């Protein structure tokens, strides 16, 4: 029986994780769950999975939650950062599913690693902002890190049984999102609804906007750099609109190994939870005869400026990716709230990065400080790119 904490259980990844847990009650047990504000769903999850500890964003929500729980369901209820960290470090937990969105996932994930928990990592912002520190912490604590992001799960699966020194290239695939065939000029007028309309994947709002701008792929390139200890020039992106090949690894002998499947996050989540075994997920089997063609091409870096910015931030290194990430979080929120146009996202990131002199990050506290600086600076610059 593997005992789990799920951080962000009411989100898209959290819900899919609980579907896998529910399908395998003989394998997985939920010790702790955390959520933000969606109490209606959280109450249902708590009643169904009976965690010992739960946590929500603040005290008021915790008080409301206590009143909403059915009779006989009495977990310990905490709130805020303290609550998320308590859930991440619960003495009974063996694995933490890190599925909070954004830099808010940093501290609890770091705490879980230090407490000796294995990590199933969905929160890509963790490795983007503090990759070198996290990989060091993981090595020091001797814990395992399993990728949940579908591309990184595909790379992980394509690397199994192979020597990392034999890798020539890591090729991440990208659907290209809803604006793959939209000319750059038309991107000026696209709406929030257009950007949320992802062709292949159903995900949380922030990552869906990141997919439309292709910042998501940029974040994933940086994530891959740390996760697989790969130098930036060995990581490529191919647009693959059908999202059937989830990523691939090319070896020195010219062989390419890829992982394929119906696009459904339950498959990579289940693999992270049950590694090295495979368990039933209910994911629709892949019938390649139904596809008239799988296509691949290079991304247009002029049009998808956020992807270019992520490569720029990665080569600047040090604190620059954390600042880029912070500016992106502010920009996406502002776009979702109708304050800036779609192209304002990359514009705000460019301006915030230009105002930053990268410096070394020696601790998670340094990362949190530069993240706060990036948010503050991006907030100041918002006016310049407003609608
Ligand atoms: P989501 O918005 O659907 O869910 C986020 C969860 O985190 C919710 O439970 C929310 O309540 C909680 N949360 C948000 N802000 C919080 C805060 N400040 N403190 C505590 N909890 C907070 O997001 P998602 O789509 O499930 O994505 C989660 C993470 O997984 C992201 O980092 C995303 O990039 C990554 N990811 C998601 C997918 C996907 O298919 N959804 C795929 C790959 C990677
Ligand atoms: Mg992905």
């Amino acid at each position: 029986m593997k005992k789990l904490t799920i951080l962000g259980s009411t989100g898209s990844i959290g819900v899919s994780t609980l579907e896998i847990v529910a399908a395998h009650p003989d394998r997985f047990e939920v010790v702790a769950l955390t959520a933000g504000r969606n109490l209606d769903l959280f109450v249902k999850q708590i009643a169904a999975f009976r965690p010992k500890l739960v946590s929500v964003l603040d005290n008021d929500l915790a008080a409301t939650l206590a009143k909403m729980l059915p009779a006989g369901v009495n977990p310990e209820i905490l709130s805020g950062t303290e609550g998320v960290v308590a859930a991440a470090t619960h003495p009974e937990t063996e694995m933490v599913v890190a599925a909070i969105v954004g830099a808010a996932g940093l501290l609890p994930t770091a705490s879980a690693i230090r407490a000796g928990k294995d990590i199933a990592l969905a929160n890509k912002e963790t490795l983007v902002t503090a990759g070198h520190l996290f990989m060091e912490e993981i090595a020091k604590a001797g814990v395992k890190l399993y990728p949940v992001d579908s591309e990184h799960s595909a790379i992980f699966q394509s690397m199994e049984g192979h020597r990392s020194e034999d890798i020539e290239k890591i090729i991440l695939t990208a659907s290209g999102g809803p604006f793959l065939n939209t000319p750059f000029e038309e991107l000026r007028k696209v709406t929030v609804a257009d950007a949320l309309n992802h062709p292949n994947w159903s995900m949380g709002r922030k990552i869906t906007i990141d997919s439309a701008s292709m910042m998501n792929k940029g974040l994933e390139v940086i994530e891959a750099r740390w996760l697989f200890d790969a130098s930036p020039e060995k990581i490529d992106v191919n647009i693959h609109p059908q999202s059937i090949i989830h990523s691939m690894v090319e070896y020195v002998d010219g062989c390419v190994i890829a992982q394929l499947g119906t696009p459904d996050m339950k498959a990579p989540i289940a693999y992270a939870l049950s590694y090295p075994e495979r368990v039933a997920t209910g994911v629709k089997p892949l019938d390649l005869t139904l596809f008239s063609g799988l296509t691949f091409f290079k991304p247009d870096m002029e049009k998808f400026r956020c992807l270019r910015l992520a490569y720029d931030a990665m080569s600047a290194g040090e604190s620059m990716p954390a600042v880029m990430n912070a500016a992106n979080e502010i920009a996406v929120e502002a776009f979702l709230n109708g304050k800036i146009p779609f192209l304002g996202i990359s514009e705000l990131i460019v301006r915030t990065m230009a105002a930053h002199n990268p410096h070394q990050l020696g601790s998670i506290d340094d990362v949190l400080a530069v993240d706060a600086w990036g948010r503050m600076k991006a907030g100041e610059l918002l006016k310049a790119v407003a609608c």
Side-chain angles (χ1 to χ4, degrees):
M1 187 69 81
K2 191 175 276 181
K3 298 190 173 188
L4 305 173
T5 284
I6 302 166
L7 306 177
S9 68
T10 52
S12 163
I13 293 289
V15 167
S16 295
T17 303
L18 285 174
E19 281 180 41
I20 299 291
V21 170
H24 300 280
D26 52 322
R27 282 178 176 266
F28 307 116
E29 185 182 322
V30 174
V31 174
L33 294 178
T34 83
R37 301 181 178 283
N38 186 349
L39 295 188
D40 289 332
L41 176 57
F42 202 35
V43 166
K44 286 189 195 136
Q45 294 181 337
I46 296 167
F49 294 94
R50 302 298 178 104
K52 296 189 169 144
L53 171 69
V54 301
S55 182
V56 285
L57 267 190
D58 60 39
N59 273 333
D60 291 348
L61 288 161
T64 312
L65 176 66
K67 290 190 205 123
M68 290 169 72
L69 287 175
V73 180
N74 305 306
E76 183 181 357
I77 304 178
L78 298 175
S79 65
T81 306
E82 191 194 329
V84 191
V85 170
T89 59
H90 192 287
E92 286 184 33
T93 295
E94 295 164 79
M95 175 181 266
V96 172
V97 180
I100 287 177
V101 59
L106 231 74
L107 201 61
T109 309
S111 312
I113 294 168
R114 288 177 195 151
K117 315 299 186 193
D118 288 339
I119 308 288
L121 187 71
N123 178 287
K124 58 192 79 187
E125 294 88 351
T126 304
L127 289 180
V128 170
T129 55
H132 68 295
L133 294 170
F134 268 89
M135 297 317 282
E136 268 170 38
E137 295 264 0
I138 280 159
K140 205 161 40 167
V143 300
K144 300 271 190 304
L145 177 64
Y146 300 106
V148 166
D149 216 333
S150 57
E151 294 76 2
H152 304 77
S153 178
I155 295 162
F156 178 63
Q157 294 180 55
S158 302
M159 282 172 64
E160 273 186 78
H162 302 277
R163 304 185 322 155
S164 49
E165 55 267 43
D166 293 338
I167 294 175
E168 187 64 31
K169 208 147 234 172
I170 288 175
I171 304 158
L172 283 103
T173 52
S175 69
F179 303 139
L180 178 60
N181 299 313
T182 308
F184 181 78
E185 275 311 310
E186 282 179 32
L187 290 181
R188 293 187 193 290
K189 326 191 269 282
V190 296
T191 65
V192 170
D194 296 333
L196 285 174
N197 187 22
H198 197 282
N200 304 350
W201 295 95
S202 156
M203 310 177 284
R205 283 159 69 86
K206 193 257 176 184
I207 182 175
T208 305
I209 301 303
D210 285 346
S211 299
S213 69
M214 282 197 77
M215 176 53 90
N216 183 50
K217 209 50 53 183
L219 299 177
E220 290 181 354
V221 168
I222 304 176
E223 187 184 7
R225 185 235 181 294
W226 296 114
L227 205 46
F228 305 113
D229 191 20
S231 54
E233 62 282 2
K234 288 203 164 188
I235 309 173
D236 262 2
V237 172
N238 279 185
I239 302 272
H240 166 45
Q242 299 82 13
S243 297
I244 293 301
I245 291 186
H246 298 307
S247 279
M248 29 196 164
V249 179
E250 180 191 322
Y251 289 90
V252 286
D253 57 0
C255 290
V256 176
I257 302 197
Q259 185 259 332
L260 289 73
T262 304
D264 186 326
M265 287 306 293
K266 286 204 289 296
I269 292 169
Y271 198 58
L273 296 187
S274 66
Y275 180 87
E277 294 171 24
R278 288 180 185 268
V279 296
T281 57
V283 172
K284 206 165 115 212
L286 181 63
D287 181 353
L288 283 172
T289 63
L290 297 176
F291 292 86
S292 55
L294 297 182
T295 51
F296 303 88
F297 46 94
K298 296 242 174 271
D300 178 346
M301 302 284 244
E302 300 303 315
K303 175 169 133 184
F304 291 111
R305 296 190 293 196
C306 286
L307 181 56
R308 158 69 58 207
L309 288 171
Y311 272 100
D312 291 349
M314 181 166 61
S315 49
E318 301 189 317
S319 51
M320 194 57 100
V323 166
M324 178 201 72
N325 181 69
N328 182 55
E329 288 191 29
I330 296 294
V332 170
E333 197 187 321
F335 171 67
L336 283 169
N337 292 330
K339 291 188 183 147
I340 64 171
F342 183 71
L343 289 180
I345 296 175
S346 54
E347 194 56 42
L348 185 66
I349 301 169
V350 167
R351 288 169 188 251
T352 311
M353 284 171 65
H356 183 64
N357 287 320
H359 57 265
Q360 242 183 355
L361 298 173
S363 67
I364 303 290
D365 281 346
D366 288 355
V367 180
L368 295 174
V370 84
D371 172 67
W373 181 89
R375 283 164 198 279
M376 186 269 301
K377 185 50 80 182
E380 274 173 29
L381 294 167
L382 259 182
K383 291 187 287 301
V385 301
C387 287

